[in-house]
């Protein structure tokens, strides 16, 4: 049996940094979206697939990868839905880093 060399520990540290970065990004995205007018909450979608999955936890309603940022929300009816979606895009555009921001309105509440 071979023993892990020094690189195994370096890779583990890199993985931890990536996970911490993904968690921080997802949490900040979620926080900004929740603060937008017309947003009642975040949604994971019908099968809970819109989420950032991390070891032992997940941030529902936010999915960000190298290609795009997807946000899924439950919206309120007190304003037009396209305005709510545009406000969400504006709120997270600086965090998207040039990636397209896809906004899904999964449900509406009064």
């Amino acid at each position: 049996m071979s023993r892990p060399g020094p690189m195994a520990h370096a890779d583990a540290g890199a993985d931890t940094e990536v996970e911490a970065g993904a968690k921080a990004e997802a949490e900040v995205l979620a926080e900004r979206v929740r603060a937008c007018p017309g947003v009642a909450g975040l949604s994971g979608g019908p099968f809970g697939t819109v989420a950032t999955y991390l070891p032992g936890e997940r941030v529902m309603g936010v999915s960000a990868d190298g290609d795009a940022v997807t946000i899924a929300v439950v919206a309120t009816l007190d304003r037009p839905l396209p305005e709510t979606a545009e406000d969400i895009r504006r709120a997270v555009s600086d965090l998207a880093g040039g990636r397209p921001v896809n906004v899904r309105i999964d449900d509406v509440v009064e």
Side-chain angles (χ1 to χ4, degrees):
M1 266 189 189
S2 65
R3 300 174 102 192
M7 289 305 294
H9 296 293
D11 290 344
D15 288 346
T16 302
E17 287 178 26
V18 169
E19 291 166 4
K23 179 178 180 178
E25 178 184 42
E27 288 175 343
V28 172
L29 285 165
E31 187 176 303
R32 287 195 187 177
V33 171
R34 282 189 209 101
C36 289
V39 173
L42 292 164
S43 169
F47 301 106
T49 57
V50 180
T52 299
Y53 294 92
L54 302 163
E57 67 179 299
R58 63 184 171 177
V59 179
M60 296 299 292
V62 174
S63 176
D65 60 26
D67 297 325
V69 174
T70 301
I71 308 288
V73 299
V74 176
T76 62
L77 289 174
D78 59 348
R79 62 194 314 250
L81 297 178
E83 286 180 22
T84 298
E86 189 54 37
D87 283 348
I88 292 167
R89 282 187 196 91
R90 269 194 300 271
V92 301
S93 65
D94 64 319
L95 297 173
R99 296 172 288 183
V101 177
N102 304 309
V103 178
R104 288 180 21 181
I105 297 176
D106 286 346
D107 201 358
V108 292
V109 295
E110 288 191 45

